[in-house]
Amino acid sequence: MANSVTHVIVVIVLLDLFRHYVFGKKKFPRYLLVIGGIAGLGPDIDVPLTWIYQFLTSSTTDLHGLFTHSIFFVLFFLGIALLLHVKKRNMWAKIFYVISAGWFMHLVLDCLYGGYKTFFWPFHYASSFCPQWGIQTHAADIDAIILVLWLIHEELHQRIIDYI
Ligand SMILES: [Zn+2]
């Protein structure tokens, strides 16, 4: 599983790129980046949930990766977004699109970093399709590279805007 910081950074960088090049700043207010970044951590809510569960039941069951890391939640938030979209509640629709995207990126990243247990929860299909290339050991380096590239992008983009 990827670092918490990676989950936040990657989603913010990707959404920011979409904001720059696809949607435009007016249609994609900055707060959506914040919501997306937080949603990028969403599936790991099962870490504090495990603490609470273990505290209350004095069991040693680890909930991490058991159900919040399921594509079900991505589709659930996407469904809410589509519903709001149809009802023309555009601001809320965007918020739920972004939550769905952030949640989805978490699953993608965890998969790229070695996989986890139940991608298809509540169904019990195998989740063994994630590549095992051991990039987990370079997690901190990857964070640094992403951050530096993004800072360079921001600087260059700002310059371009200044010149126009
Ligand atoms: Zn995770």
Side-chain angles (χ1 to χ4, degrees):
M1 299 188 175
N3 286 347
S4 299
V5 177
T6 320
H7 285 304
V8 178
I9 296 177
V10 170
V11 175
I12 288 180
V13 170
L14 285 178
L15 288 177
D16 201 25
L17 291 176
F18 271 102
R19 182 170 184 251
H20 275 300
Y21 298 110
V22 183
F23 301 118
K25 290 188 178 179
K26 276 199 189 122
K27 282 193 173 171
F28 201 91
R30 187 180 286 270
Y31 67 82
L32 289 176
L33 296 181
V34 179
I35 292 171
I38 295 169
L41 268 183
D44 282 347
I45 188 83
D46 57 8
V47 174
L49 283 181
T50 298
W51 299 336
I52 295 168
Y53 182 76
Q54 291 184 348
F55 177 75
L56 292 178
T57 63
S58 34
S59 84
T60 51
T61 309
D62 186 1
L63 305 175
H64 188 47
L66 278 189
F67 55 93
T68 53
H69 286 68
S70 166
I71 191 78
F72 167 82
F73 285 92
V74 176
L75 298 175
F76 176 72
F77 292 127
L78 187 62
I80 295 176
L82 290 170
L83 204 72
L84 291 163
H85 198 150
V86 170
K87 294 200 167 198
K88 304 237 179 295
R89 307 277 298 273
N90 284 341
M91 188 191 84
W92 282 101
K94 283 177 194 173
I95 288 174
F96 277 93
Y97 278 128
V98 162
I99 292 175
S100 177
W103 208 282
F104 180 65
M105 277 313 298
H106 187 107
L107 305 190
V108 171
L109 282 170
D110 272 357
C111 190
L112 289 175
Y113 277 68
Y116 47 93
K117 302 162 201 166
T118 51
F119 188 78
F120 297 106
W121 178 89
F123 304 104
H124 291 287
Y125 300 118
S127 310
S128 52
F129 45 80
C130 296
Q132 302 297 321
W133 45 22
I135 60 172
Q136 173 75 47
T137 47
H138 303 289
D141 312 321
I142 294 169
D143 282 1
I145 292 167
I146 294 168
L147 201 54
V148 168
L149 289 177
W150 187 42
L151 286 174
I152 293 171
H153 169 265
E154 288 298 293
E155 180 61 26
L156 291 176
H157 197 87
Q158 203 54 50
R159 290 257 170 100
I160 292 166
I161 287 172
D162 287 347
Y163 280 121
I164 295 172

